[in-house]
Amino acid sequence: MSGYVPMMMRLNKKKCVVIGGGIVAERKVTALLESKADVTVISPKVTETIRKRYEAGSLEWKKRGYLSGDFDKIPFAFIAVGNEEVNKRCRWEANKTNTLLNIADQPDQCDFMLPAVLRQGDLILTVCTSGKSPMLAKKIKQDLIQTYGNAYSVVVDTLGKIRQDAFHQIANQKNRQEVFRKLIYDGAVDEALTLPGQEVENFLMQKYWKLVLSAKEHRGEKDSEIEKKRRKVVKKLIIGSRGSRLALIQAKWVQQQLQEAHRGLEIDIKIIKTKGDIILDRTLDKVGGKGLFVKEIQNALFDGSIDLAVHSMKDVPGESPEGLKMVAIPEREDARDVLVTTDGKSWKELREKPVIGTSSMRRQAQMKALRPDSQIVPIRGNIETRMQKMKDQHMDGILLAAAGLIRSGYFNEKHHFAFSEEEFIPAVGQGALGCEIREDDVETTRIVKVLDDMESRRRVEAERGFLNHLEGDCHVPVGAFAWIEEKKLTILGMVACVETGKRLTAFASGEGNAEALGVKVAEELLEKGAASLLKRK
Ligand SMILES: C[C@@]1(CC(=O)O)c2cc3[nH]c(cc4nc(cc5[nH]c(cc(n2)[C@H]1CCC(=O)O)[C@@](C)(CC(=O)O)[C@@H]5CCC(=O)O)C(CC(=O)O)=C4CCC(=O)O)c(CCC(=O)O)c3CC(=O)O
Ligand SMILES: NC(=O)C1=CN([C@@H]2O[C@H](COP(=O)(O)OP(=O)(O)OC[C@H]3O[C@@H](n4cnc5c(N)ncnc54)[C@H](O)[C@@H]3O)[C@@H](O)[C@H]2O)C=CC1
C-alpha cells in the first residue's frame, strides 16, 4: 500500500464525526480532542471515557446509529463500528460530500490513517506501517523513547528560541543555516542532551551566541541597507557604573562586548555617584560597606535611569532583590590574590616581620597563616591610592586582587606575586562581573544574555551558595574558590580566624546543582566548628 502523504494537521475547530463508540473510537476521539477538533460521536453506545467527555461538554454525542446525511459539511470522519455494511454506506456518502474518511477495520478504504505517535513536547515522532502492522508501529514508537527521551523537549524548545532570534540577528539565510548546522550537526545538541535539564537551554544559547559572534567577526560583516531595515531596531541601552577607574574599565568592557554582539546598538555609560548625601535621603543607612554601592546602582535600575548594572560579583551580597536579576556572569577573570611589592618577592622571600597592607579580614588571616610574623596595617582606597600608600609608608607589600590589576593594565610579574588559589583562597566571586537588569525587561535580557558564560556562572553560584549559607559578610574571613574540570565542579571553601590565622577548609565535587554544592561545603565547615569563628566579629 502506498501513495500516502504524511502531514501534521491542526484540527482546531474543524468538524469531525466519529461513527462508533467503542475502544477504538475512544482512541480516535482522544487524539481529535487534543487537536481541539469540534467532535461529534454518533453511536447508540459509548465507552465510559467518551461519556465523561460528553458530560463535560467536550464533544457532542448523538445516541443513535449512523444515518445518511451525517457527513453533510463534515471534512473528516472516522468509522469504528466494525460492520462492513455501515462502512460501505459511509464510504459511498463520503465520496459525495468530499469528506475524508478513516475506517478502522478497512485500511484499503481509508483516505487517511493514523500513525503511532511519540511526543516529547513539540517533538512529534510518528510511525506508520501503511496498514501492514499497526502493532509493529506501536512497538517501534515504544523503542524510539530510548533514543528520543524527555530531554529532547527542552532541546527542541531552545532551538525554537534560537531560530527566532537568528531571524533578527543574521539577515543572510545561508549564514543563518550554517549556524543551525553547526549547532545541530557538530555536537552541541548531542552535548546538551547529556546535561541536566535545567542547564540545556543555557548551554545551547551560549554555543549559539558564540557562533553568531565569531561568524560576524570572521566575515567582518557589514549590513546592507536592506539588512539594516530587516533587523529589529533596538533601543539605546544605559549602563550604570561607579565612577572609579576600575569600575569604568569594567563597564566599558561590557559596553564593547555588547556592541560587538549587536551592531548598531547604542550604549551609554552613566556614572552613579556613591556620595553619602545621596544615600542618606534613601534610608539606606543600614546597608554598610560594599553593599552600599551595589544598592545605589540597583536603585537606579529600579527607577529606570539605567538599564544595566555592572557589578564586581565580589561586592554583591546575597541574591538580587525582587524585581532584578543577574542576567549574565561574563567569562571570569583571574580569581587569585596578589602580593604587590616593589620587586616581586614571594611571601616566603619577604624579610622578617614584614609590614603588609590590607583591610580585608580574609587576606589578613591568610597572610598570618602563611607568615605568622607578618604585621598587618589597614589600607583603603582604589588600586592607585593603595600602591602609592605602599611606597609612601614603606610597606613591604600590599594584597590586591589579580583581576583588578589585570583589568587596569597594572599586572606585572616583576612586582607582583600571584598566590595559588589553594594557598590563598580568594573571596567569593573574585574576578567575576555580574550584569544585573530589571527582571521584566525582556529586550535587555535578550541583549545582555549573550555575555553569560555558563562555566563562570556555575563557579560563582557555587561560591555564593557557600557564602550565603554561612551568612558571611566582609567582616568575617571567608573565602571560596570553585573550578570546573571535565564538567565536574569542585569547590573549596574556607573560614579562618584573624587572630591565629588558623584556616578551616572543606571541599566537594559534583555535576549537579552548583549552589547546592556550595551549601554542602558550608555545612561541612559548620560541622568542623566554623560557627565559632563566624561569631567572632
Ligand atoms: C489502517 C489503520 C487505520 C487507522 O485506524 O487509522 C489501522 C487498522 C487496523 N488496526 C487493527 C488492529 C490494531 N491496531 C492497533 C493499534 C493501532 N492502530 C493504529 C493505526 C491503524 N490501525 C492504521 C494503520 C497504521 C499503521 O499501519 O501503522 C495506531 C498506530 C494509531 C491509532 O489508532 O491511534 C494504533 C497504535 C497506537 C499506539 O501507538 O499505541 C493494535 C495494537 C494495540 O491496540 O495494541 C491492533 C491489534 C494488533 C494488530 O492487529 O496488529 C486492525 C485489525 C482489527 C482486527 O483484528 O479486527 C486494523 C484493520 C485492519 O488491519 O484490517
Ligand atoms: N484501527 C484500529 O486501530 C483498530 C481497529 N479495530 C477494529 O475497529 C473496529 C471497532 O473496534 P472496537 O471499538 O474495539 O469495537 P466495539 O465493538 O467496542 O465498538 C463498536 C461501536 O460501534 C457502535 N455501533 C454499532 N453499530 C453502529 C452503527 N450502525 N452506527 C454507529 N455506531 C454503531 C457500538 O455501539 C460500539 O460503540 C473493529 O472492527 C475492530 O476490529 C480494532 C483494533 C484497532
Side-chain angles (χ1 to χ4, degrees):
M1 205 174 295
S2 62
Y4 294 105
V5 182
M7 281 193 272
M8 303 304 296
M9 193 112 51
R10 201 177 272 164
L11 290 175
N12 195 16
K13 291 186 185 141
K14 296 276 182 305
K15 282 184 189 292
C16 295
V17 161
V18 178
I19 310 288
I23 194 73
V24 172
E26 178 185 307
R27 203 163 68 225
K28 312 290 183 199
V29 163
T30 304
L32 292 174
L33 288 179
E34 235 165 70
S35 187
K36 300 197 168 62
D38 176 350
V39 178
T40 300
V41 174
I42 300 175
S43 176
K45 283 187 186 163
V46 293
T47 65
E48 193 56 28
T49 305
I50 295 180
R51 182 185 296 275
K52 279 191 182 143
R53 298 224 150 129
Y54 162 70
E55 282 163 1
S58 312
L59 51 80
E60 203 179 319
W61 174 26
K62 293 185 176 157
K63 197 176 171 181
R64 59 166 171 82
Y66 161 76
L67 293 174
S68 111
D70 278 344
F71 297 163
D72 198 21
K73 301 208 176 88
I74 300 295
F76 302 101
F78 299 78
I79 322 301
V81 174
N83 176 319
E84 223 173 307
E85 186 53 35
V86 174
N87 290 351
K88 230 184 227 164
R89 283 165 53 208
C90 287
R91 182 68 269 176
W92 190 77
E93 186 191 349
N95 289 346
K96 289 204 306 184
T97 54
N98 272 325
T99 301
L100 292 173
L101 212 57
N102 174 271
I103 308 182
D105 54 343
Q106 281 189 283
D108 57 330
Q109 294 296 310
C110 288
D111 293 317
F112 65 96
M113 54 179 78
L114 297 185
V117 183
L118 169 62
R119 286 174 197 262
Q120 301 290 9
D122 283 338
L123 175 66
I124 304 172
L125 301 179
T126 61
V127 184
C128 180
T129 63
S130 307
K132 297 273 169 66
S133 175
M135 193 186 273
L136 178 66
K138 183 175 176 174
K139 159 83 163 50
I140 292 174
K141 168 199 85 176
Q142 287 162 343
D143 292 345
L144 284 173
I145 300 181
Q146 304 302 323
T147 316
Y148 300 99
N150 234 327
Y152 269 86
S153 132
V154 191
V155 166
V156 167
D157 254 13
T158 308
L159 288 175
K161 288 182 193 164
I162 286 175
R163 189 160 176 270
Q164 280 312 309
D165 191 85
F167 285 125
H168 294 306
Q169 290 289 332
I170 313 167
N172 179 300
Q173 191 203 8
K174 254 189 167 171
N175 298 340
R176 209 159 51 218
Q177 287 181 7
E178 182 58 15
V179 167
F180 300 153
R181 200 199 59 73
K182 284 193 172 136
L183 280 175
I184 294 171
Y185 284 92
D186 294 352
V189 161
D190 293 329
E191 199 177 339
L193 285 162
T194 67
L195 297 172
Q198 73 271 18
E199 281 164 31
V200 169
E201 175 167 353
N202 216 347
F203 174 84
L204 281 177
M205 281 294 178
Q206 294 313 312
K207 291 273 175 195
Y208 163 65
W209 282 114
K210 279 188 185 143
L211 286 173
V212 171
L213 284 180
S214 73
K216 283 178 178 174
E217 261 167 36
H218 273 124
R219 284 192 303 273
E221 195 176 88
K222 288 247 160 62
D223 283 342
S224 73
E225 281 310 307
I226 299 163
E227 282 172 342
K228 264 186 203 159
K229 274 178 200 152
R230 282 182 58 172
R231 202 177 289 276
K232 207 171 151 191
V233 185
V234 280
K235 58 170 186 167
K236 181 164 150 182
L237 195 84
I238 301 175
I239 300 180
S241 168
R242 289 170 45 218
S244 80
R245 180 166 181 272
L246 180 58
L248 280 173
I249 287 173
Q250 294 175 167
K252 277 184 189 149
W253 181 84
V254 168
Q255 178 188 39
Q256 191 194 342
Q257 296 292 310
L258 289 177
Q259 259 157 355
E260 270 171 30
H262 312 278
R263 263 160 313 127
L265 174 66
E266 222 184 302
I267 309 177
D268 279 354
I269 295 180
K270 184 173 175 180
I271 294 177
I272 313 274
K273 284 185 195 145
T274 55
K275 293 235 174 75
D277 51 274
I278 307 174
I279 301 154
L280 287 175
D281 63 18
R282 294 205 199 165
T283 65
L284 289 168
D285 51 314
K286 286 207 177 100
V287 192
K290 296 167 170 181
L292 206 64
F293 349 102
V294 171
K295 261 274 154 37
E296 283 207 294
I297 297 183
Q298 286 173 337
N299 280 354
L301 275 176
F302 277 125
D303 70 26
S305 55
I306 63 168
D307 304 303
L308 164 64
V310 178
H311 304 292
S312 290
M313 283 310 285
K314 194 170 74 148
D315 297 341
V316 183
E319 302 293 315
S320 284
E322 204 171 317
L324 300 184
K325 67 177 171 189
M326 205 61 79
V327 73
I329 307 276
E331 197 170 336
R332 190 176 189 174
E333 189 40 277
D334 197 331
R336 292 176 301 172
D337 283 292
V338 170
L339 173 65
V340 178
T341 58
T342 46
D343 51 6
K345 279 198 185 79
S346 83
W347 57 272
K348 288 178 196 156
E349 297 158 342
L350 290 171
R351 69 177 173 95
E352 247 178 66
K353 297 193 179 166
V355 178
I356 303 294
T358 182
S359 288
S360 143
M361 304 292 245
R362 178 186 59 84
R363 290 182 179 143
Q364 178 178 345
Q366 295 195 100
M367 194 65 214
K368 280 272 182 203
L370 294 172
R371 287 292 301 259
D373 63 333
S374 59
Q375 299 170 47
I376 308 292
V377 292
I379 185 167
R380 291 181 196 279
N382 58 36
I383 298 181
E384 294 83 2
T385 333
R386 292 193 212 185
M387 296 212 280
Q388 192 56 47
K389 278 186 186 166
M390 176 181 99
K391 281 179 198 147
D392 296 348
Q393 299 175 18
H394 307 292
M395 296 176 193
D396 292 287
I398 57 173
L399 297 167
L400 292 172
L405 289 167
I406 295 171
R407 289 205 178 97
S408 312
Y410 296 139
F411 188 73
N412 177 345
E413 276 173 64
K414 277 193 193 147
H415 306 291
H416 302 148
F417 171 83
F419 297 94
S420 80
E421 293 93 344
E422 289 85 11
E423 72 184 342
F424 208 102
I425 299 176
V428 163
Q430 185 156 299
L433 299 181
C435 297
E436 194 171 38
I437 64 167
R438 282 179 297 279
E439 199 162 32
D440 59 2
D441 188 347
V442 183
E443 184 61 5
T444 308
T445 303
R446 194 183 70 78
I447 293 169
V448 181
K449 194 84 189 155
V450 320
L451 297 185
D452 196 43
D453 178 70
M454 197 176 66
E455 290 210 348
S456 304
R457 174 179 281 278
R458 278 175 65 71
R459 290 171 58 195
V460 171
E461 275 171 5
E463 292 169 15
R464 288 166 66 78
F466 168 79
L467 183 70
N468 292 341
H469 194 71
L470 290 181
E471 294 178 356
D473 57 29
C474 56
H475 304 299
V476 185
V478 172
F481 180 69
W483 68 95
I484 293 177
E485 250 166 356
E486 288 177 6
K487 287 194 202 139
K488 210 163 84 191
L489 177 71
T490 305
I491 164 169
L492 172 64
M494 174 216 66
V495 177
C497 173
V498 192
E499 289 82 35
T500 62
K502 191 181 160 229
R503 296 199 318 181
L504 278 181
T505 58
F507 73 96
S509 292
E511 290 187 25
N513 183 286
E515 198 183 330
L517 201 65
V519 171
K520 193 174 153 193
V521 171
E523 280 291 335
E524 203 178 315
L525 276 186
L526 290 171
E527 268 169 39
K528 284 187 178 173
S532 63
L533 293 178
L534 287 166
K535 272 185 214 125
R536 203 183 308 176
K537 283 187 185 176

